[in-house]
Amino acid sequence: MTELNQQSASEIARMIRAGRTTSSTVMAAHLDRIAAREAAVGAFIHLDAERAMERAKDADRQPPKGLLHGVPFAIKDIIDTDDMPTGWGSDLFTDRRPDRNAPCVQAFLDAGAIPLGKTVTTEFAYFHPGKTTNPHNFRHTPGGSSSGSAAAVADHMAPIAFGSQTAASLIRPAAYCGVCAFKPTTGAFDLTGVLPLAPSLDTLGLLSRDPEDFVLASAVLTGSALPDLPDFSDTMPRVGLMRGPHWREGTMEMRDVVGRAMRALADHGAETGEIAHPPLFAELTEAHKVVMGFEAARVHADMCASHGNGISEQFARLVQSGLEITQAQYHQALAVRDRANAMVDILLAECDALLVPGAPGEAPEGLVATGDPLFSRMWTLLQLPCVALPLGTGPRGLPLGIQLIGRRNEDGKLLAVAKWVHAIFSAAS
């Protein structure tokens, strides 16, 4: 029998609603796992086990009040909470205490979910890492910036967790830790109360071990009913492989896992084929760097000037180099983005999703960096919905993964494809 802390958020919600378990029993299972593993994994920057259990017991005394009643969740520490500190991954702000919850947190609370605590983020959701290790091998990075959220979900400390992405901060840690991640269309979820980095790129998202959880969470976050998604029992999904301009910069095992994924989908009836990337796509990664640097510098220049000695070298460099980017260079990068987006609409006209690499390969060894965001920068710039799915392991026994890319504002269709693909991958593992 699957342990309670290994169940998905969706299954936990169903079990509690059906009276097959209780919120406090579920919470105890997760807190026991945290107690056993947190010292090595370091997923949390703030954890109040006693408060979490009190809330779970309160939930047991009430009828189910929402789609996530009794489900534990974790919160990336750039997201405001009114009863826990939000320190943004910086020693400068460890005592920062917001006076209200970010709307995304409040939506989960209103749906009956129970917060476990705040998870480690890289400093200001950029590159300088925190204490978190990869649960599969403590000598390797979990990725970033949603480091603690990915590690907590991967290590069965939480069934679902909030993260965010400005470059690769959801997809890359999901790939490195062997879990699923959902970066919706940029702007799909309210970012109020979430620390900005580069506003045109920042996207609130989620990590879990089952993409069904993203469907449930999306309904909660958008205040909508659960959608009736296609199950592909009649018409198979259409999935196109796009190697992309950086294909040869990934590892051989990454290229192999992408090929294996496409063969598995074709074997299960998907309409598959290969789509060549337009030459313009080779400019997207650099365009992303320009947009991110320009916007981050304008958002954080004053803070860096005020707290220079307490800012990491990585973040200080980002802001300094961003201030050197001109308005003309910034608008030129945005123009590249817009031209590429027009091409994406054509490329996806006959395709439900693109299948692309999730990360360059396995999680690198060492904890002083979080890995290369290369395989997500372009899709984040294009503001498209993305889902990371784990598939297999590399030569060091660490997870590998792919990502699926959908049309802008067609997140539901992408999640339906992701559920179908995940079921195939899970059955083969």
Side-chain angles (χ1 to χ4, degrees):
M1 179 179 177
T2 303
E3 299 292 336
L4 280 173
N5 67 302
Q6 296 177 338
Q7 299 283 3
S8 68
S10 302
E11 183 59 21
I12 288 170
R14 282 191 289 266
M15 292 173 71
I16 291 174
R17 196 174 301 115
R20 291 187 281 129
T21 190
T22 65
S23 301
S24 55
T25 303
V26 168
M27 183 61 69
H30 287 88
L31 293 176
D32 285 348
R33 180 65 175 181
I34 293 169
R37 296 274 292 179
E38 172 62 9
V41 176
F44 288 90
I45 193 67
H46 180 85
L47 178 72
D48 189 341
E50 185 175 340
R51 175 67 171 136
M53 183 55 77
E54 287 175 1
R55 284 176 153 164
K57 289 177 179 177
D58 286 343
D60 287 337
R61 291 189 283 267
Q62 305 170 21
K65 71 175 191 176
L67 292 174
L68 293 171
H69 186 87
V71 176
F73 72 105
I75 307 162
K76 184 177 181 178
D77 192 37
I78 63 165
I79 301 173
D80 284 352
T81 47
D82 66 4
D83 61 351
M84 292 180 278
T86 303
W88 299 336
S90 168
D91 291 340
L92 294 169
F93 298 100
T94 53
D95 296 326
R96 181 177 173 272
R97 289 270 181 172
D99 60 3
R100 66 187 65 188
N101 291 318
C104 60
V105 173
Q106 192 60 51
F108 264 45
L109 295 175
D110 292 344
I114 303 170
L116 285 159
K118 307 299 284 290
T119 53
V120 172
T121 176
T122 58
E123 178 199 41
F124 309 126
Y126 189 56
F127 284 166
H128 185 64
K131 64 179 180 177
T132 310
T133 67
N134 191 308
H136 300 276
N137 186 322
F138 302 146
R139 297 190 302 274
H140 290 249
T141 179
S145 63
S146 303
S147 314
S149 289
V153 169
D155 206 52
H156 303 104
M157 297 176 178
I160 191 167
F162 280 116
S164 66
Q165 180 158 307
T166 307
S169 295
L170 287 159
I171 302 300
R172 178 182 45 176
Y176 286 170
C177 291
V179 297
C180 306
F182 175 42
K183 188 209 84 69
T185 299
T186 301
F189 298 154
D190 192 345
L191 277 170
T192 304
V194 181
L195 175 73
L197 180 56
S200 76
L201 304 171
D202 296 341
T203 312
L204 179 70
L206 298 148
L207 296 115
S208 82
R209 297 182 299 274
D210 189 329
E212 182 184 4
D213 295 346
F214 302 145
V215 179
L216 192 65
S218 295
V220 169
L221 292 172
T222 58
S224 57
L226 281 173
D228 185 16
L229 298 179
D231 61 6
F232 302 111
S233 56
D234 297 321
T235 303
M236 291 290 101
R238 302 165 300 171
V239 181
L241 167 63
M242 181 178 285
R243 299 175 190 271
H246 306 295
W247 178 253
R248 291 293 171 187
E249 297 176 61
T251 61
M252 182 174 64
E253 59 264 23
M254 177 278 290
R255 298 194 292 270
D256 177 66
V257 84
V258 170
R260 286 195 288 124
M262 286 301 290
R263 289 191 295 273
L265 302 190
D267 288 346
H268 284 79
E271 296 182 35
T272 60
E274 186 164 346
I275 299 174
H277 68 272
L280 180 65
F281 277 33
E283 301 179 31
L284 290 174
T285 293
E286 288 305 314
H288 174 274
K289 292 178 183 178
V290 170
V291 172
M292 183 173 172
F294 182 92
E295 294 183 0
R298 273 69 187 173
V299 170
H300 291 291
D302 288 346
M303 180 192 68
C304 285
S306 301
H307 301 283
N309 292 336
I311 304 294
S312 71
E313 183 180 348
Q314 293 101 315
F315 198 77
R317 280 201 306 267
L318 170 70
V319 171
Q320 182 55 48
S321 61
L323 290 173
E324 296 169 0
I325 297 170
T326 67
Q327 286 275 354
Q329 290 169 323
Y330 174 65
H331 287 293
Q332 183 179 5
L334 293 180
V336 170
R337 177 199 68 186
D338 293 342
R339 296 204 322 269
N341 259 326
M343 296 175 182
V344 168
D345 290 340
I346 297 171
L347 292 172
L348 284 169
E350 301 298 326
C351 188
D352 296 314
L354 295 176
L355 191 152
V356 303
E362 293 174 293
E365 188 169 2
L367 302 177
V368 297
T370 56
D372 193 339
L374 182 65
F375 286 98
S376 286
R377 283 189 186 270
M378 60 188 288
W379 308 114
T380 304
L381 176 68
L382 295 174
Q383 303 180 328
L384 300 174
C386 313
V387 175
L389 298 174
L391 178 60
T393 56
R396 294 185 175 186
L398 292 166
L400 296 169
I402 57 96
Q403 63 176 317
L404 298 171
I405 311 297
R407 296 187 192 93
R408 184 195 289 235
N409 298 319
E410 293 191 11
D411 299 33
K413 178 178 285 187
L414 179 65
L415 289 176
V417 176
K419 284 180 60 179
W420 186 82
V421 173
H422 185 254
I424 292 171
F425 290 175
S426 297
S429 63

